[in-house]
């Protein structure tokens, strides 16, 4: 079988040398991010099943999916600063995966919240949810962040950039900063007293934003350097 | 918990008691850390014996008393109480202890005594959470004198027939079941009768969110979440929160004429 296929393969590439599958550098990175990004879900399910989520598993799952959303959003926002600062282009290849994973956790966080409010068991659950969004700024900003992420997730597939045009696509995806900022505010307002963790996420976000602003300021010089490095690689 | 079925006492609720494991591993006790699992993890650093409690303020004769002496003054009794946390979850706790009223009477209040202030232990060596400034330490709480004299106001020294674990406030804590859990101060070292309304830790930390009274009230929302429902630990769906945590018949008269929306 292998012999046959080999013999048949021999004459075919006469026009061109056999196209050896191009091995992209760091080709494992994409799959690793996706697998690594999904592990916490199975962790949550497993912990829920074994009781390791503690006495209040719903609240724990709510918190963990929320924190994962923020962490992944911020991770997705590190990619551009890394390119601006060091000329690294490889992080841009995992940015989409990170962004989509963040959206997935945001959606899960929302589902757990809806479950918590009893939306799936009927009764006053839906009303409670609507009241929460309207009356409680803490929920309002969280929900707004999720809503902002929806168009970003929908336009993160192949062809979206072309359809929208690069400029419009880029402008749209700047919303991720707003969504992440609202996410941090949501977390800040959500904790009872200890603001350490929300502060760390906020600081990371502010830092990344600052890097963009500062490096954008020196764009011309930097751009030449970055292009040189890209073509060099 | 493995206790034989006992008939319910006059102050017991008929609800299923929260499993001991959950009641001792899911705790808010910022002196040990802000995570719910911190208290159980760090509780060994607290040394509940030897322990003294200072009884002072508007009393005829201030004194400092050893915890074992203090607890020997009263017959210990079981109380199955609901405990509703301001965060929207609840438990059913089988406390062991004595009514606060007995202790107050024994302190011999002067005519000036209008309030009771409670102070928790201040010792960053035993309470690692006190090394940070999450709250203004030591934790302080207070009750109006008539609230403190109500037969439901209880001093707990045990849980489920055993000595109180560190994470639940050893060796002496308050249990006021019609108020949010943060009123029930843990690891008490001082009880002071005062003329003026005492300061309380959470109302100092966030005065717009936590008041002096902190009565469980499904109609007065926390600014950031509804208080209409709660999750009973061990249950997946929420249940409606009851006025005064279900103790309205006993305690509502304490607050007649008081605007509970203003005095939250």
């Amino acid at each position: 079988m292998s012999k046959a296929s080999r013999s048949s393969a021999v004459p075919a590439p006469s026009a061109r040398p056999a196209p050896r599958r191009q091995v992209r550098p760091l080709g494992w990175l994409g799959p690793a991010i996706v697998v690594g990004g999904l592990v916490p879900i199975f962790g949550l399910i497993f912990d829920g099943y074994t009781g390791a989520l503690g006495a209040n598993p719903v609240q724990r799952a709510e918190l963990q999916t929320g924190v994962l959303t923020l962490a992944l959003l911020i991770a997705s926002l590190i990619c551009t600063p890394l390119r601006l600062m060091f000329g690294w282009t490889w992080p841009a290849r995992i940015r989409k995966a990170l962004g989509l994973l963040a959206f997935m956790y945001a959606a899960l966080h929302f589902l757990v919240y809806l479950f918590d409010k009893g939306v799936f068991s009927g009764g006053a659950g839906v009303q409670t949810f609507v009241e929460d969004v309207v009356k409680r700024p803490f929920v309002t900003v969280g929900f707004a962040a999720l809503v902002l992420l929806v168009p970003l997730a929908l336009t993160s597939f192949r062809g979206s950039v072309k359809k929208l045009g690069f400029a419009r696509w880029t402008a749209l995806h700047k919303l991720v900063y707003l969504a992440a900022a609202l996410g941090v505010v949501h977390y800040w307002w959500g904790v009872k007293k200890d603001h350490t963790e929300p502060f760390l996420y906020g600081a990371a976000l502010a830092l990344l934003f600052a890097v963009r602003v500062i490096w954008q300021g020196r764009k011309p010089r930097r751009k030449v350097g970055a292009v040189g490095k890209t073509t060099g690689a | 918990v493995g206790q034989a079925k006992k008939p319910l006492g006059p102050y017991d609720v008929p609800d299923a008691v929260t499993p001991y494991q959950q009641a001792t591993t899911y705790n808010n006790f910022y002196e040990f850390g802000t995570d719910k699992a911190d208290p159980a993890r760090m509780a060994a650093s607290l040394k509940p014996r030897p322990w003294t409690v200072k009884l002072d303020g508007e009393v005829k004769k201030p004194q400092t008393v050893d915890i074992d002496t203090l607890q020997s003054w009263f017959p210990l009794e079981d109380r199955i109480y609901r405990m509703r946390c301001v965060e929207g979850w609840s438990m059913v706790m089988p406390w062991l202890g004595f009514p606060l009223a007995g202790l107050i009477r024994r302190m011999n209040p002067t005519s000036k005594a209008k309030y009771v202030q409670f102070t928790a232990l201040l010792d960053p060596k035993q309470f690692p959470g006190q090394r940070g400034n999450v709250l203004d330490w030591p934790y302080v709480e207070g009750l109006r004198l008539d609230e403190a004299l109500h037969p439901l106001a209880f001093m707990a020294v045990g849980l489920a027939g055993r000595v109180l674990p560190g994470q639940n406030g050893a060796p002496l804590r308050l249990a006021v079941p019609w108020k949010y859990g943060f009123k029930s101060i843990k690891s008490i070292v001082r009880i002071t009768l005062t003329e003026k309304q005492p300061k309380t830790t959470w109302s100092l930390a966030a005065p717009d969110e936590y008041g002096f009274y902190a009565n469980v009230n499904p109609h007065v929302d926390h600014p950031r979440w509804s208080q209409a429902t709660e999750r009973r630990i061990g249950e997946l769906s929420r249940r409606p929160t009851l006025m005064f945590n279900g103790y309205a018949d006993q305690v509502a008269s304490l607050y007649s004429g008081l605007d509970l929306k203003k005095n939250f």
Side-chain angles (χ1 to χ4, degrees), chain A residues 55-56 58-59 115-116 135-136 138 189-194, chain B residues 26 30 34 87 134 202 210 221 224-226 231 233 236 238:
Chain A
N56 200 345
V58 180
Q59 188 230 12
F115 176 85
D116 181 25
K135 272 169 59 180
R136 285 174 238 291
F138 146 66
W189 285 345
V191 300
K192 200 162 77 173
K193 187 72 184 112
D194 187 1
Chain B
Y26 189 79
Y30 281 18
T34 53
E87 296 167 355
V134 167
W202 276 102
Y210 310 101
D221 289 343
R224 289 181 280 144
W225 55 83
S226 160
R231 173 169 297 105
I233 292 303
L236 274 184
R238 288 172 168 267

Side-chain angles (χ1 to χ4, degrees), chain B residues 26-45:
Chain B
Y26 189 79
N27 308 100
N28 274 328
F29 198 173
Y30 281 18
E31 281 86 337
F32 287 121
T34 53
D35 192 276
K36 302 263 189 310
D38 285 339
R41 220 157 31 80
M42 309 299 289
S45 63

Side-chain angles (χ1 to χ4, degrees), chain B residues 55-63 104 107-110 113 191-193:
Chain B
L55 308 170
D56 64 351
E58 295 297 341
V59 297
K60 302 252 159 70
K61 195 173 148 239
Q63 59 178 314
I104 304 275
M107 285 167 73
N108 263 321
T110 69
I191 301 172
T192 311
L193 303 189

Side-chain angles (χ1 to χ4, degrees), chain A residues 173-227:
Chain A
H173 279 248
K174 287 225 163 73
L175 281 178
V176 72
Y177 266 106
L178 184 56
L182 289 174
V184 169
V185 173
H186 172 64
Y187 193 11
W188 187 282
W189 285 345
V191 300
K192 200 162 77 173
K193 187 72 184 112
D194 187 1
H195 288 117
T196 315
E197 283 207 32
F199 172 79
L200 290 176
Y201 284 100
L205 188 65
L207 189 74
L208 293 175
F209 194 63
V211 168
R212 280 179 197 235
V213 170
I214 291 166
W215 258 260
Q216 227 105 67
R218 353 171 165 169
K219 214 171 188 177
R221 195 158 54 88
R222 209 58 211 177
K223 212 173 184 181
V224 173
V227 168

